[in-house]
Amino acid sequence: MLRKIITKSDAAHEWVREFNAIDSGIIAKLMSIDIDDWQEVTMPRVGDRVYCFDSETYGEVVGIDNNDYTINLDDGTEITLSISDFEVERYSLLPMWGTMWSFGDGLDDEWLSDYDGIKLMSECGFRIFYSGEFGYFFGIDGAGYDFYEAHWIPLYEARGLHWHEEEC
């Protein structure tokens, strides 16, 4: 009997098919009804453009060590700040891609909230939002490239899933 080899990409595609896809307009409408129930919980990541409160300057996150963020300011100065000393600059309230998702399985939600999932998802390029009433939703700030290579497969790996055969 022949056994089908499933690649990491195939496994990631199968996993993502289980997610709930929601038009970003629906999320925006829910936010407008009760904005205080919603918060973005995305963690800063290397490459994020930031505004530093004390120096009133802009820069880019170039390194992260525990809760210390190394920021290269626009004038070339490098500083280290905690997360409360700066904010990530976003182009819009919600991710630019017109679809957001929520996990289809409670174990994934538990991983997100209890096991460093927010940090790991943020590192994979997702923006994550939380509503006390509706739970977690996430989206991608990007377009014009392979989302599976850039986001979904790294998330599959970060989640620690191993539903694929090792490739020889």
Side-chain angles (χ1 to χ4, degrees):
M1 176 155 110
L2 294 174
R3 183 170 179 211
K4 182 180 175 191
I5 302 284
I6 184 168
T7 67
K8 190 181 291 186
S9 177
D10 292 337
H13 276 79
E14 289 295 321
W15 182 49
V16 170
R17 271 194 274 279
E18 296 175 4
F19 296 175
N20 304 305
I22 300 106
D23 185 282
S24 296
I26 293 169
I27 302 295
K29 182 75 167 185
L30 289 171
M31 287 177 139
S32 73
I33 294 168
D34 186 6
I35 191 67
D36 294 332
D37 182 52
W38 290 84
Q39 63 180 347
E40 182 167 2
V41 295
T42 309
M43 300 293 296
R45 67 183 190 132
V46 170
D48 278 343
R49 181 113 175 112
V50 298
Y51 176 76
C52 305
F53 301 129
D54 285 347
S55 61
E56 298 181 348
T57 57
Y58 291 88
E60 180 178 315
V61 176
V62 294
I64 303 170
D65 183 21
N66 293 322
N67 293 323
D68 293 327
Y69 294 82
T70 303
I71 298 169
N72 186 3
L73 298 176
D74 288 349
D75 68 5
T77 306
E78 193 170 276
I79 60 174
T80 301
L81 298 174
S82 69
I83 196 168
S84 62
D85 297 326
F86 67 91
E87 69 181 358
V88 175
E89 293 292 300
R90 305 282 185 203
Y91 293 112
S92 61
L93 176 64
L94 293 174
M96 72 168 55
W97 187 251
T99 301
M100 292 181 70
W101 297 268
S102 66
F103 286 121
D105 187 301
L107 291 174
D108 292 320
D109 283 322
E110 182 180 327
W111 170 81
L112 180 61
S113 63
D114 297 342
Y115 297 99
D116 228 9
I118 291 172
K119 177 182 176 290
L120 293 169
M121 275 191 86
S122 298
E123 290 171 358
C124 292
F126 291 91
R127 288 183 59 195
I128 308 141
F129 297 81
Y130 178 74
S131 160
E133 185 173 352
F134 301 108
Y136 289 98
F137 296 88
F138 46 93
I140 298 170
D141 241 349
Y145 58 91
D146 186 333
F147 283 5
Y148 275 90
E149 289 297 320
H151 303 287
W152 297 120
I153 293 171
L155 180 61
Y156 171 88
E157 294 170 341
R159 175 69 177 86
L161 300 175
H162 196 90
W163 299 342
H164 61 282
E165 298 287 329
E166 292 299 326
E167 298 176 32
C168 299

